[in-house]
PDB file of all heavy atoms in Angstrom:
ATOM      1  N   ASP A 672     -14.176 -19.941 -21.122  1.00  0.00           N
ATOM      2  CA  ASP A 672     -14.133 -19.344 -22.448  1.00  0.00           C
ATOM      3  C   ASP A 672     -13.916 -17.843 -22.341  1.00  0.00           C
ATOM      4  O   ASP A 672     -14.299 -17.199 -21.363  1.00  0.00           O
ATOM      5  CB  ASP A 672     -15.435 -19.619 -23.205  1.00  0.00           C
ATOM      6  CG  ASP A 672     -16.636 -19.027 -22.490  1.00  0.00           C
ATOM      7  OD1 ASP A 672     -17.056 -19.627 -21.457  1.00  0.00           O
ATOM      8  OD2 ASP A 672     -17.135 -17.983 -22.913  1.00  0.00           O
ATOM      9  N   GLY A 673     -13.316 -17.290 -23.386  1.00  0.00           N
ATOM     10  CA  GLY A 673     -12.981 -15.876 -23.377  1.00  0.00           C
ATOM     11  C   GLY A 673     -14.193 -14.969 -23.314  1.00  0.00           C
ATOM     12  O   GLY A 673     -14.129 -13.867 -22.768  1.00  0.00           O
ATOM     13  N   ALA A 674     -15.331 -15.415 -23.858  1.00  0.00           N
ATOM     14  CA  ALA A 674     -16.526 -14.579 -23.872  1.00  0.00           C
ATOM     15  C   ALA A 674     -17.067 -14.334 -22.466  1.00  0.00           C
ATOM     16  O   ALA A 674     -17.673 -13.290 -22.203  1.00  0.00           O
ATOM     17  CB  ALA A 674     -17.605 -15.229 -24.739  1.00  0.00           C
ATOM     18  N   SER A 675     -16.868 -15.289 -21.562  1.00  0.00           N
ATOM     19  CA  SER A 675     -17.375 -15.152 -20.189  1.00  0.00           C
ATOM     20  C   SER A 675     -16.352 -14.534 -19.247  1.00  0.00           C
ATOM     21  O   SER A 675     -16.686 -14.201 -18.108  1.00  0.00           O
ATOM     22  CB  SER A 675     -17.793 -16.528 -19.644  1.00  0.00           C
ATOM     23  OG  SER A 675     -18.779 -17.110 -20.456  1.00  0.00           O
ATOM     24  N   ARG A 676     -15.129 -14.399 -19.710  1.00  0.00           N
ATOM     25  CA  ARG A 676     -14.084 -13.823 -18.857  1.00  0.00           C
ATOM     26  C   ARG A 676     -14.337 -12.328 -18.687  1.00  0.00           C
ATOM     27  O   ARG A 676     -14.605 -11.615 -19.658  1.00  0.00           O
ATOM     28  CB  ARG A 676     -12.714 -14.064 -19.479  1.00  0.00           C
ATOM     29  CG  ARG A 676     -11.535 -13.699 -18.580  1.00  0.00           C
ATOM     30  CD  ARG A 676     -10.257 -14.238 -19.198  1.00  0.00           C
ATOM     31  NE  ARG A 676      -9.070 -13.799 -18.527  1.00  0.00           N
ATOM     32  CZ  ARG A 676      -8.563 -14.356 -17.428  1.00  0.00           C
ATOM     33  NH1 ARG A 676      -9.204 -15.363 -16.870  1.00  0.00           N
ATOM     34  NH2 ARG A 676      -7.456 -13.911 -16.877  1.00  0.00           N
ATOM     35  N   GLU A 677     -14.231 -11.838 -17.453  1.00  0.00           N
ATOM     36  CA  GLU A 677     -14.617 -10.462 -17.154  1.00  0.00           C
ATOM     37  C   GLU A 677     -13.625  -9.820 -16.197  1.00  0.00           C
ATOM     38  O   GLU A 677     -13.193 -10.443 -15.218  1.00  0.00           O
ATOM     39  CB  GLU A 677     -16.011 -10.447 -16.528  1.00  0.00           C
ATOM     40  CG  GLU A 677     -16.506  -9.082 -16.128  1.00  0.00           C
ATOM     41  CD  GLU A 677     -17.837  -9.146 -15.404  1.00  0.00           C
ATOM     42  OE1 GLU A 677     -18.333 -10.263 -15.159  1.00  0.00           O
ATOM     43  OE2 GLU A 677     -18.373  -8.062 -15.079  1.00  0.00           O
ATOM     44  N   ALA A 678     -13.237  -8.575 -16.462  1.00  0.00           N
ATOM     45  CA  ALA A 678     -12.374  -7.826 -15.549  1.00  0.00           C
ATOM     46  C   ALA A 678     -13.211  -7.351 -14.367  1.00  0.00           C
ATOM     47  O   ALA A 678     -14.246  -6.707 -14.545  1.00  0.00           O
ATOM     48  CB  ALA A 678     -11.735  -6.647 -16.258  1.00  0.00           C
ATOM     49  N   ILE A 679     -12.764  -7.671 -13.144  1.00  0.00           N
ATOM     50  CA  ILE A 679     -13.487  -7.317 -11.926  1.00  0.00           C
ATOM     51  C   ILE A 679     -12.934  -6.035 -11.307  1.00  0.00           C
ATOM     52  O   ILE A 679     -13.662  -5.255 -10.702  1.00  0.00           O
ATOM     53  CB  ILE A 679     -13.425  -8.474 -10.905  1.00  0.00           C
ATOM     54  CG1 ILE A 679     -14.044  -9.728 -11.496  1.00  0.00           C
ATOM     55  CG2 ILE A 679     -14.107  -8.096  -9.601  1.00  0.00           C
ATOM     56  CD1 ILE A 679     -15.506  -9.577 -11.882  1.00  0.00           C
ATOM     57  N   GLY A 680     -11.642  -5.811 -11.458  1.00  0.00           N
ATOM     58  CA  GLY A 680     -11.035  -4.622 -10.878  1.00  0.00           C
ATOM     59  C   GLY A 680      -9.552  -4.819 -10.664  1.00  0.00           C
ATOM     60  O   GLY A 680      -8.918  -5.659 -11.318  1.00  0.00           O
ATOM     61  N   MET A 681      -8.974  -4.072  -9.736  1.00  0.00           N
ATOM     62  CA  MET A 681      -7.541  -4.136  -9.496  1.00  0.00           C
ATOM     63  C   MET A 681      -7.224  -3.595  -8.109  1.00  0.00           C
ATOM     64  O   MET A 681      -8.085  -3.034  -7.434  1.00  0.00           O
ATOM     65  CB  MET A 681      -6.768  -3.332 -10.544  1.00  0.00           C
ATOM     66  CG  MET A 681      -7.190  -1.879 -10.716  1.00  0.00           C
ATOM     67  SD  MET A 681      -6.474  -0.737  -9.492  1.00  0.00           S
ATOM     68  CE  MET A 681      -4.755  -0.777 -10.009  1.00  0.00           C
ATOM     69  N   ARG A 682      -5.969  -3.794  -7.705  1.00  0.00           N
ATOM     70  CA  ARG A 682      -5.464  -3.149  -6.492  1.00  0.00           C
ATOM     71  C   ARG A 682      -4.059  -2.641  -6.748  1.00  0.00           C
ATOM     72  O   ARG A 682      -3.346  -3.131  -7.629  1.00  0.00           O
ATOM     73  CB  ARG A 682      -5.472  -4.106  -5.297  1.00  0.00           C
ATOM     74  CG  ARG A 682      -4.483  -5.268  -5.377  1.00  0.00           C
ATOM     75  CD  ARG A 682      -4.439  -6.052  -4.066  1.00  0.00           C
ATOM     76  NE  ARG A 682      -3.641  -7.273  -4.186  1.00  0.00           N
ATOM     77  CZ  ARG A 682      -3.309  -8.053  -3.161  1.00  0.00           C
ATOM     78  NH1 ARG A 682      -3.704  -7.750  -1.933  1.00  0.00           N
ATOM     79  NH2 ARG A 682      -2.584  -9.143  -3.350  1.00  0.00           N
ATOM     80  N   PHE A 683      -3.675  -1.642  -5.964  1.00  0.00           N
ATOM     81  CA  PHE A 683      -2.334  -1.073  -5.992  1.00  0.00           C
ATOM     82  C   PHE A 683      -1.781  -1.134  -4.584  1.00  0.00           C
ATOM     83  O   PHE A 683      -2.480  -0.824  -3.615  1.00  0.00           O
ATOM     84  CB  PHE A 683      -2.375   0.380  -6.475  1.00  0.00           C
ATOM     85  CG  PHE A 683      -1.093   1.132  -6.231  1.00  0.00           C
ATOM     86  CD1 PHE A 683       0.004   0.921  -7.034  1.00  0.00           C
ATOM     87  CD2 PHE A 683      -0.984   2.031  -5.179  1.00  0.00           C
ATOM     88  CE1 PHE A 683       1.194   1.599  -6.802  1.00  0.00           C
ATOM     89  CE2 PHE A 683       0.194   2.721  -4.949  1.00  0.00           C
ATOM     90  CZ  PHE A 683       1.287   2.501  -5.768  1.00  0.00           C
ATOM     91  N   GLY A 684      -0.524  -1.544  -4.441  1.00  0.00           N
ATOM     92  CA  GLY A 684       0.037  -1.634  -3.098  1.00  0.00           C
ATOM     93  C   GLY A 684       1.545  -1.647  -3.087  1.00  0.00           C
ATOM     94  O   GLY A 684       2.204  -1.484  -4.131  1.00  0.00           O
ATOM     95  N   PHE A 685       2.086  -1.819  -1.888  1.00  0.00           N
ATOM     96  CA  PHE A 685       3.530  -1.925  -1.671  1.00  0.00           C
ATOM     97  C   PHE A 685       3.796  -3.228  -0.924  1.00  0.00           C
ATOM     98  O   PHE A 685       3.086  -3.565   0.014  1.00  0.00           O
ATOM     99  CB  PHE A 685       4.053  -0.759  -0.832  1.00  0.00           C
ATOM    100  CG  PHE A 685       3.619   0.604  -1.318  1.00  0.00           C
ATOM    101  CD1 PHE A 685       2.885   1.441  -0.503  1.00  0.00           C
ATOM    102  CD2 PHE A 685       3.949   1.037  -2.591  1.00  0.00           C
ATOM    103  CE1 PHE A 685       2.489   2.694  -0.928  1.00  0.00           C
ATOM    104  CE2 PHE A 685       3.557   2.292  -3.035  1.00  0.00           C
ATOM    105  CZ  PHE A 685       2.824   3.116  -2.212  1.00  0.00           C
ATOM    106  N   GLU A 686       4.846  -3.924  -1.309  1.00  0.00           N
ATOM    107  CA  GLU A 686       5.209  -5.137  -0.591  1.00  0.00           C
ATOM    108  C   GLU A 686       5.850  -4.813   0.755  1.00  0.00           C
ATOM    109  O   GLU A 686       5.877  -5.648   1.649  1.00  0.00           O
ATOM    110  CB  GLU A 686       6.120  -6.002  -1.444  1.00  0.00           C
ATOM    111  CG  GLU A 686       5.382  -6.583  -2.654  1.00  0.00           C
ATOM    112  CD  GLU A 686       6.221  -7.548  -3.451  1.00  0.00           C
ATOM    113  OE1 GLU A 686       7.400  -7.786  -3.079  1.00  0.00           O
ATOM    114  OE2 GLU A 686       5.712  -8.070  -4.456  1.00  0.00           O
TER     115      GLU A 686
END
Side-chain angles (χ1 to χ4, degrees):
D672 61 285
S675 301
R676 189 169 172 83
E677 178 185 4
I679 300 300
M681 54 82 69
R682 68 173 172 172
F683 167 76
F685 310 120
E686 292 185 0

